Amino acid sequence: MSNFRPRAALTSTLLAATVVSGVLTAPGASAVTGGTAATGSFAYTARLAIGSGDRACTGALIDPEWIVTAASCFADNPEQGYSIRAGRPAMTTTATIGRTDLTSTTGQVRQVVELVPRSDRDVVLARLSRPATGITPLKVSTNAPAADESLTVPGYGRTATEWAPLKLHTGSFKLGAIQTDTIDMTGQNGAAVCAGDTGAPVLRATGGTYELTSVTTRSWQGGCFGQDPAETRTDARNVRLDNLGTWIDSTVQAARTTDFNCDGVEDIAIADPKTSVGGNAAAGAVRIVYGGGKGTTSVNQDLDWVPGDAEADDWFGESIDTADYNQDGCTDLIVGTPSEDLSTVKDAGMVDVLYGAQSGIGTGSVKDTHFEQDSGTGSLAGSTPEAGDRMGQDLAAGITSTGDPFLVIGAPGEAIGDVPKAGMAFYVRDSTSIGITTANVSITQDSTGVPGAVEANDQFADSIAADANHIAIGAPGEAIGTDTNAGNVAVFSHTLNSEGRPTPLFGLDQDLDTVAGGSEAGDQFGKSLAMVPYRPSGTATATDSILAIGSPGEDLDIDGVNKTDTGNVLTFKVTAAGTFTQLNNYASGTATDDVTGTSEAGDRFGQTLAAVNTMPGAISTTATMMLAVGITGEAVGTATKSGAITTFSLLGAPSANDRWIEAGTSGIPGPAGADQQLGSSIRYTGTKLYVGMPYGPATSGALHALPMSNTTAGGTNTAITTYQPGQGGLPAGGGRFGYAAR
């Protein structure tokens, strides 16, 4: 058990001249001398146990998933500075929040899985493995405290008489000098910031509650247990937070990035399902490019830790998604292989979760969780793989609003009884919060409350979208009345019903009075889906969703002329209460509107969709809610099926926020060529729109990462990043590089 001691003061002057570092000590030794806090008070205060029992700090919960504390808590040598690397903590860190008495079981215990430090002052934002529910986060003040203002500091650990007390303590302090980055304070009535209390919240009273002004970083520790009795100074220095609001908001409220090696730098997974592996044509692979110049790797079924074998026409990576499924701070890759043969059963399909780790994907102690029918537990174990099931054709992965990881896996070719290609989805969820270890259930149109009926060729779960709040499952082959392939969409919440399935909320089809248009044969309503969390003004969190539904087979009357299969997209707001309202109807332009483009027969506007809320923790705006629509059949000049993309805001009028993208624009290399089908592969992150061009012009395909400014109305084009086989450390060759990207 180590005990970090303070450096000797170089002078006897106050903190403005020389400051002794706050000290990291034995577990529990991180408290302010003063009175014991009332049971349940200051519940947002967090005790941080760092490493193998040799360090402890204090922090404050400022968001259900984020704690603010001092960066020096995580430094190799806290006495020599606060410079630390971003990403997963080097030492295992456990946060206990809302436990005034450490001998009790109240509050929440979470792992810290990501650090986002400042480079200019001793402060860090620490992300929790899952939200700390039932505890109101502390508001960060936007104003500096006033001169001589009284401040309160809660903390755990050492007091005047105890080395490691088991109850939260508080002390009162008087404000001193205010600098640009720091503020000073002096303990009152014997209060002092003691050894190890680094990162404790410094509070100001306002409007009958407390706001967070700063976090402690250094102190003279006068009167603290174990301190030299001759040291009587109770002055301390704190790191200001009131002038860091933009940094805090941009970190806490932002969309999560893909980070397979948990170093705080965005990575990218690029599918090439038609590439050859070990001489097996179209076996498929997923290429990983680590951000920050940390190299590349290739994931395929010839690796001994990836289930299955690389075989011709497997198309490994035909569908992919990402989520921190095991909640360790490293993004995990979910891979669908719907063309996988299981024994002699052709195209039965399977899905794998391939785990990220600090040395890269697949390098951790646990590498994979495998899903296939007639294996594992629950509904998957009770299902029989059949030819053409195509399990994994589409999938969605994420984390629910309660912090549970989930998968929704489509098997649109599944026969229900003797009804061929009716379709089925599997819902997999790990949760201790709802009293289960793993939920693994099937969903069909015969499940209680699911709209529609089991019919041949419905292809239920051909398309899937999900966010933290809701799930949408498309059946583009659904017949509405006598109109075949008209299509419908079922919407669910993550709340499990009495059958252990997600609760069905409602169905959507174009025969409903509340949905624009009318159901017609071949519309394929629900062929593509996208869903993002939505936070309306006046709400505390993003409990609603916006759902976009593509109908690429929609025929539209354009200025009196019928345009077959020109396509359109409808968007809907889905509330936490389970109701819906249609928002917008998107289509290519006409002669009588100012939407960019022209609706033409065969455009298939809405064949693919991508959506993002770049700041899901903030009130949603036209700038943060984005939609990209793939128009794969678009002819550019004489180049048929060259393809195009139109981007919109999910909020506001389509024509006021649209941007047209074709080859040769927005940084994408041109010119447009026939059958390139630009828009067949699109994916938003919080910072980029990834545009795959698996059908050329490059022989093996390519992927282009477009900065947001290149994709928004009125935005300025800046340099894009292009990924291509044989370049930047990626292996040469391939067949459909850029088919999907996450």
Side-chain angles (χ1 to χ4, degrees), residues 31-37 153 158-160 168-172 188-192 194:
V32 180
T33 59
T36 301
V153 182
R158 195 184 306 190
T159 65
L168 182 69
H169 287 69
T170 63
S172 181
Q188 304 295 293
N189 302 316
C194 290

Side-chain angles (χ1 to χ4, degrees), residues 32 35 51 90-91 217 297 305 313 317 335 392 396 412 451 524 580 589 628 738:
V32 180
M91 296 175 284
T217 180
T297 192
W305 57 273
D313 298 319
V335 179
Q524 294 186 295
F580 74 91

Side-chain angles (χ1 to χ4, degrees), residues 85-89 113-114 259-265 267 328-331 356-360:
R85 66 173 180 82
R88 186 174 174 179
V113 295
E114 181 184 6
D259 185 6
F260 297 117
N261 58 353
C262 39
D263 63 352
V265 183
D267 305 324
D328 66 347
C330 305
T331 304
Q358 286 183 289
S359 295

Side-chain angles (χ1 to χ4, degrees), residues 48-366:
L48 301 174
I50 303 168
S52 56
D54 56 351
R55 296 189 184 188
C57 279
T58 304
L61 188 76
I62 59 170
D63 176 89
E65 289 188 274
W66 291 90
I67 284 171
V68 63
T69 187
S72 53
C73 294
F74 301 94
D76 290 340
N77 187 340
E79 295 186 42
Q80 295 185 4
Y82 53 79
S83 178
I84 62 172
R85 66 173 180 82
R88 186 174 174 179
M91 296 175 284
T92 300
T93 301
T94 302
T96 303
I97 313 114
R99 188 170 293 177
T100 310
D101 183 343
L102 295 177
T103 64
S104 72
T105 58
T106 59
Q108 306 283 328
V109 178
R110 299 286 186 267
Q111 296 300 304
V112 172
V113 295
E114 181 184 6
L115 301 176
V116 182
R118 289 280 299 193
S119 61
D120 60 344
R121 61 184 84 174
D122 185 12
V123 66
V124 65
L125 294 170
R127 182 168 64 86
L128 305 177
S129 57
R130 57 189 299 134
T133 56
I135 300 172
T136 301
L138 181 60
K139 179 182 178 181
V140 179
S141 178
T142 57
N143 300 304
D148 296 325
E149 187 171 353
S150 179
L151 302 172
T152 300
V153 182
Y156 296 95
R158 195 184 306 190
T159 65
T161 59
E162 296 176 281
W163 177 270
L166 297 174
K167 293 186 178 181
L168 182 69
H169 287 69
T170 63
S172 181
F173 294 78
K174 183 179 179 180
L175 181 68
I178 302 176
Q179 294 89 25
T180 301
D181 296 344
T182 61
I183 62 173
D184 297 338
M185 63 184 186
T186 302
Q188 304 295 293
N189 302 316
V193 175
C194 290
D197 198 34
T198 312
V202 181
L203 311 175
R204 64 184 302 194
T206 177
T209 186
Y210 286 111
E211 289 183 351
L212 177 62
T213 68
S214 53
V215 295
T216 61
T217 180
R218 298 175 179 181
S219 169
W220 289 110
Q221 306 176 68
C224 296
F225 185 82
Q227 181 70 358
D228 185 345
E231 179 57 77
T232 60
R233 289 170 292 185
T234 60
D235 304 282
R237 175 158 287 177
N238 314 317
V239 178
R240 287 180 62 179
L241 300 179
D242 60 274
N243 56 5
L244 293 181
T246 299
W247 172 69
I248 292 172
D249 289 346
S250 65
T251 302
V252 170
Q253 298 174 354
R256 195 74 48 79
T257 61
T258 295
D259 185 6
F260 297 117
N261 58 353
C262 39
D263 63 352
V265 183
E266 185 171 347
D267 305 324
I268 182 69
I270 309 165
D272 188 345
K274 201 178 177 183
T275 193
S276 295
V277 177
N280 298 293
V286 180
R287 316 298 190 188
I288 308 296
V289 180
Y290 296 109
K294 294 186 178 179
T296 67
T297 192
S298 182
V299 180
N300 60 68
Q301 290 179 300
D302 260 3
L303 299 175
D304 58 8
W305 57 273
V306 178
D309 297 302
E311 300 164 318
D313 298 319
D314 275 351
W315 278 60
F316 177 84
E318 187 173 349
S319 64
I320 59 173
D321 207 348
T322 55
D324 185 2
Y325 193 73
N326 61 354
Q327 300 184 313
D328 66 347
C330 305
T331 304
D332 307 314
L333 176 67
I334 298 91
V335 179
T337 315
S339 296
E340 179 78 24
D341 299 347
L342 298 181
S343 186
T344 60
V345 182
K346 186 173 178 59
D347 296 344
M350 64 186 193
V351 171
D352 289 278
V353 179
L354 308 176
Y355 292 106
Q358 286 183 289
S359 295
I361 196 164
T363 63
S365 57
V366 178

